[in-house]
Amino acid sequence: MGTRKINERFTSDCMRVIATLFVFCLHARIFVPGADSFPRTLLVMTSFPAWAGVWIFFLLSGYSIGYGFFINRYNLYDASGKLSLRKVGDFYARRFLKIAPLYYLYCGFFEIVSGQRYLWENPIVLIRMLTFTYNGAPGINGLGHLWYISSAMQLYLIMPAVYLLIRNLPIKTTECLSLAAIFIGGGVRVCLSVAGADWYTAIYTNALANIDLIFIGMTVAKIKVTGKRTAPENILKMTKAIAWIMFFALTIVNMYLYGVAGEKELFVYRMILPSFYALIGGVLLLLPGGYPQHYAGPLAVFERCIAGFAKHSYTFYIMHIAVFCYLQNTLTATAWYGKLPLFAEYVTFEIVGFGITLTFAAAVDSMTSKPVQNVTKMRRTT
């Protein structure tokens, strides 16, 4: 059986899929009437850490952009080796073309189809959404989750500066800065909370409060691309397995904290756990490799499924609430659905919602990917 190069995107794809499902599964429970009254065990089992999913998204954004910089996929310098403002502008343009078209299309589509006139009656919110300064407040089902896109676009603005800051630093210095960012980020969140800052608008959805996650992702990318591997391969594989075990253990603890949902538990979840996700996620991204390494077999099928879903995760994230709103007015009002036990209703809602959302995401991506690619190619050749 032939072998192939290790897929270095496999770990980041897995993390992206997991983060997307964290968000999807918790949001789905909100749309199932009575699901919040599950017995305590079921409540914990269905308390997927959606907030953590967003923190992972930020970490992955920093990592993927940083990786692109350090392998020269994104180049900020001209032929003479000088920093080029045109190259910086090209980076921003490519980010805009990748993110904005679907985002704007969805906002317009939802406003028209929902018939709620939300953007018509809230012109300030409309302006903030168009300029990527929307922080989720005030929110509405179908649009409120788009705050993440605004924060991500704001953080893209500083990523070239972060790259320029760390590109020539020694690896040891970069490692120290990455570890420092983990502690500083957690400290800032705790201090803001103690000072009475609103968690949602000042910490969770505030782009500035998530800079540490972006910074850690970019430093991990630098260390991975430019650092030297010294440990034996079997040790690295064992370490990565341990890191995955720690990641899932953290997820279980997180689900328990959210399922219990006391004031102390929420404080730990909101203020402390972002740093743990950054630490364990950073280790996972840093360690080399992807699995599987063969062309055939169940692991290869799993890899293709992960890669296929990850490719549509952005569109999936944007569309999932609209699908839930549709199912709330159709599936939950269907006679046979109402006869199901409550937990069966939840599982059915999840499965049907997942299928519809993924189908639409794949269809939308197939229709929009070529035009965006063509515009990007035109910019590269002009």
Side-chain angles (χ1 to χ4, degrees):
M1 185 180 294
T3 60
R4 57 179 168 177
K5 288 180 64 177
I6 290 175
N7 176 12
E8 289 291 351
R9 293 189 57 176
F10 184 64
T11 299
S12 60
D13 281 348
C14 282
M15 292 176 64
R16 193 176 305 279
V17 168
I18 291 169
T20 304
L21 292 178
F22 281 172
V23 175
F24 175 86
C25 291
L26 185 71
H27 285 176
R29 194 182 74 177
I30 297 172
F31 285 83
V32 178
D36 285 338
S37 63
F38 279 150
R40 182 167 178 172
T41 301
L42 279 181
L43 196 63
V44 170
M45 290 173 58
T46 57
S47 294
F48 293 93
W51 299 334
V54 175
W55 300 328
I56 294 171
F57 286 153
F58 284 133
L59 179 70
L60 290 173
S61 292
Y63 174 78
S64 61
I65 296 300
Y67 198 87
F69 278 131
F70 288 106
I71 65 170
N72 294 319
R73 182 187 301 138
Y74 311 122
N75 182 20
L76 303 182
Y77 294 86
D78 59 23
S80 65
K82 293 182 179 180
L83 183 65
S84 169
L85 293 180
R86 181 181 181 277
K87 294 281 189 178
V88 175
D90 283 344
F91 169 79
Y92 291 142
R94 289 171 67 179
R95 290 292 92 199
F96 183 84
L97 290 173
K98 183 177 178 64
I99 301 299
L102 178 61
Y103 170 83
Y104 288 146
L105 181 65
Y106 173 83
C107 289
F109 176 80
F110 186 84
E111 176 73 3
I112 293 170
V113 173
S114 69
Q116 299 181 64
R117 305 187 307 278
Y118 181 73
L119 296 180
W120 282 109
E121 295 177 356
N122 296 274
I124 300 300
V125 174
L126 174 61
I127 293 172
R128 291 170 62 197
M129 296 195 77
L130 292 177
T131 57
F132 297 103
T133 56
Y134 177 62
N135 67 350
I140 182 177
N141 275 342
L143 294 177
H145 67 297
L146 298 182
W147 71 264
Y148 164 72
I149 311 300
S150 290
S151 292
M153 289 292 279
Q154 293 171 43
L155 289 167
Y156 284 138
L157 294 176
I158 70 167
M159 288 187 188
V162 175
Y163 166 67
L164 295 174
L165 174 67
I166 66 175
R167 68 185 293 264
N168 291 323
L169 293 178
I171 290 297
K172 289 294 184 182
T173 303
T174 305
E175 291 172 346
C176 291
L177 286 175
S178 186
L179 288 173
I182 292 173
F183 290 101
I184 293 172
V188 168
R189 290 183 184 88
V190 170
C191 289
L192 286 172
S193 177
V194 171
D198 179 69
W199 173 77
Y200 187 78
T201 57
I203 302 175
Y204 180 55
T205 66
N206 186 341
L208 294 177
N210 290 290
I211 287 178
D212 60 317
L213 301 173
I214 294 294
F215 183 84
I216 293 164
M218 295 190 75
T219 53
V220 166
K222 172 183 167 62
I223 297 167
K224 185 165 187 174
V225 173
T226 63
K228 293 181 180 180
R229 185 187 307 177
T230 56
E233 185 176 352
N234 61 331
I235 298 297
L236 293 172
K237 286 185 177 181
M238 184 182 300
T239 305
K240 192 153 194 173
I242 293 172
W244 272 118
I245 292 172
M246 293 177 65
F247 179 88
F248 287 114
L250 176 61
T251 300
I252 292 171
V253 170
N254 196 164
M255 293 173 69
Y256 173 78
L257 291 174
Y258 192 47
V260 175
E263 185 176 339
K264 292 181 180 179
E265 288 80 10
L266 284 179
F267 178 85
V268 173
Y269 180 8
R270 293 169 171 174
M271 309 304 165
I272 307 300
L273 293 195
S275 296
F276 280 88
Y277 279 103
L279 175 61
I280 298 175
V283 171
L284 284 170
L285 293 169
L286 179 61
L287 291 170
Y291 303 95
Q293 300 178 5
H294 302 287
Y295 281 110
L299 287 177
V301 174
F302 176 69
E303 180 191 24
R304 287 194 290 270
C305 290
I306 291 295
F309 183 78
K311 181 174 66 174
H312 301 301
S313 59
Y314 170 62
T315 309
F316 187 95
Y317 175 86
I318 285 183
M319 299 183 65
H320 77 285
I321 296 293
V323 172
F324 289 164
C325 290
Y326 165 74
L327 292 180
Q328 190 178 43
N329 295 323
T330 53
L331 177 64
T332 59
T334 304
W336 64 264
Y337 179 84
K339 296 177 182 178
L340 296 174
L342 181 57
F343 185 69
E345 288 185 6
Y346 166 76
V347 173
T348 302
F349 192 93
E350 293 265 10
I351 293 173
V352 175
F354 181 86
I356 294 176
T357 307
L358 183 57
T359 300
F360 273 100
V364 169
D365 284 341
S366 67
M367 290 186 292
T368 58
S369 59
K370 275 196 172 183
V372 171
Q373 289 173 1
N374 290 338
V375 174
T376 303
K377 288 178 181 178
M378 288 176 61
R379 285 195 58 84
R380 290 177 185 170
T381 56
T382 55

